[in-house]
């Protein structure tokens, strides 16, 4: 299954991508994580991306398209993948369509997390993750079971993202409205858009995602029968 996750910063894309990855055993391709890794490793892409990301703006389409094209050719993507944070502009969406067509592939679904923008600053500013394994938490909505200890790996160090400060979050939300929101009609016109209520509690959003994806699997099965 090939899935695109859509929604503004803090909508819950990464949170639900983790569940989808484990349920369907397909990799989560987060362009944000790839760029943060490039920044941490001091690569050329990382050097170009650092200031742009810290300002809450979008990294250039050419750089992102090249990263994704290379990543989807890796063997772990053969059975499908989750695109988390890509595409983010109509140019990236067109590039994705071409990338897939060149490989004889197609997208199964574009899943939108519909949220109230007013709630997002609170969601994002409360976010933190385990410094060892990357598992995500929230001060209020998803605390570790034991305070200060990661549920997954037992790590005791946690980090917060630099671009999660309120001023930068505002710039990221504006970039989403201007450059990414136009992708909703783009995917709707192609019959690929499905929407879930991203304001519900995390477990309820997961149940709605599961229902959408099970229907997609069923439709695919029927089409291939
Ligand atoms: P990226 O890393 O993709 O960030 P983003 O899209 O801004 O999304 P977030 O990771 O902030 O939010 P999310 O929707 O994953 O929410 P999460 O699940 O963590 O991009 C960062 C930067 O990289 C961009 O600004 C840009 O500069 C660059 N970039 C990346 N891709 C690019 C591209 N394609 N083109 C150009 N530039 C690109 O949830 C947030 C918090 O809320 C968590 O703490 C979670 O526990 C909590 N939460 C989640 N769901 C719920 C719920 N239902 N109820 C309550 N709390 C919840």
């Amino acid at each position: 299954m090939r899935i695109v996750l859509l929604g503004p910063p803090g909508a819950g894309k990464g949170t639900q991508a983790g569940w989808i990855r484990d349920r369907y055993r397909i990799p989560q391709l987060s362009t944000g994580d790839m760029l943060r890794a490039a920044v941490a490793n001091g690569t050329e892409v990382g050097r170009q991306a650092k200031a742009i990301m810290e300002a809450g703006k979008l990294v250039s389409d050419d750089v992102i398209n090249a990263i994704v094209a290379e990543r989807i050719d890796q063997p772990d993507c053969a059975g499908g993948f989750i695109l988390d944070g890509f595409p983010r502009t109509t140019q990236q969406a067109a590039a994705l369509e071409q990338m897939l067509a060149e490989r004889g592939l197609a997208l199964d679904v574009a899943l939108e997390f519909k949220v109230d923008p007013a709630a997002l600053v609170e969601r994002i500013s409360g976010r933190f993750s385990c410094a060892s394994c990357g598992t995500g938490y929230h001060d209020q909505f998803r605390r570790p079971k034991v305070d200060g200890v990661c549920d997954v790996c037992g790590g005791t160090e946690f980090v917060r993202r630099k671009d999660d400060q309120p001023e930068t979050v505002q710039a990221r939300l504006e970039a989403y409205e201007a450059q990414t929101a136009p992708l909703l009609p783009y995917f709707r016109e192609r019959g690929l858009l499905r929407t879930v209520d991203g304001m519900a509690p995390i477990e309820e959003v997961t149940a709605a995602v599961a229902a959408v994806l099970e229907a997609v699997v069923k439709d695919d099965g029927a089409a291939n029968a």
Side-chain angles (χ1 to χ4, degrees):
M1 190 158 30
R2 283 170 288 276
I3 307 167
V4 162
L5 302 184
L6 291 168
K13 303 180 297 294
T15 301
Q16 300 301 332
W19 178 84
I20 300 169
R21 178 195 61 210
D22 296 344
R23 166 70 181 81
Y24 291 96
R25 297 171 190 276
I26 50 176
Q28 169 191 1
L29 312 187
S30 159
T31 42
D33 285 349
M34 294 179 208
L35 290 169
R36 281 184 287 279
V39 171
N41 293 330
T43 66
E44 182 50 37
V45 166
R47 276 195 288 276
Q48 285 176 34
K50 188 171 187 286
I52 300 172
M53 292 173 78
E54 284 174 7
K57 297 190 174 142
L58 295 188
V59 174
S60 86
D61 290 334
D62 290 348
V63 168
I64 294 288
N65 293 339
I67 292 177
V68 174
E70 195 187 317
R71 183 65 186 87
I72 65 173
D73 283 335
Q74 301 299 311
D76 64 332
C77 292
F81 45 78
I82 309 155
L83 289 169
D84 166 11
F86 177 90
R88 245 174 161 103
T89 64
T90 44
Q91 204 277 351
Q92 291 179 18
L96 173 64
E97 204 166 273
Q98 193 185 338
M99 252 177 243
L100 294 175
E102 282 168 2
R103 291 161 175 79
L105 304 173
L107 206 60
D108 293 292
V109 62
L111 189 55
E112 177 202 5
F113 296 94
K114 204 173 176 56
V115 284
D116 172 4
L120 297 179
V121 175
E122 183 190 22
R123 271 203 196 175
I124 295 174
S125 52
R127 169 169 57 185
F128 59 99
S129 60
C130 171
S132 306
C133 72
T135 298
Y137 296 98
H138 191 279
D139 290 329
Q140 196 183 335
F141 305 122
R142 182 183 259 184
R143 300 190 60 82
K145 290 188 186 104
V146 177
D147 262 352
V149 181
C150 175
D151 295 347
V152 175
C153 75
T156 52
E157 274 186 44
F158 295 88
V159 286
R160 290 181 191 260
R161 272 169 50 177
K162 244 186 170 169
D163 63 347
D164 278 352
Q165 277 137 15
E167 326 69 84
T168 319
V169 172
Q170 199 49 47
R172 287 164 57 200
L173 290 170
E174 284 164 19
Y176 174 82
E177 277 310 319
Q179 290 166 278
T180 311
L183 294 186
L184 300 173
Y186 176 96
F187 284 116
R188 189 177 295 118
E189 279 160 22
R190 284 157 179 74
L192 291 169
L193 188 70
R194 303 285 180 279
T195 300
V196 296
D197 174 14
M199 294 307 296
I202 293 175
E203 294 71 22
E204 285 179 30
V205 180
T206 303
V209 168
V212 167
L213 297 184
E214 285 312 311
V216 169
V217 169
K218 230 180 184 174
D219 284 355
D220 280 0
N224 294 329

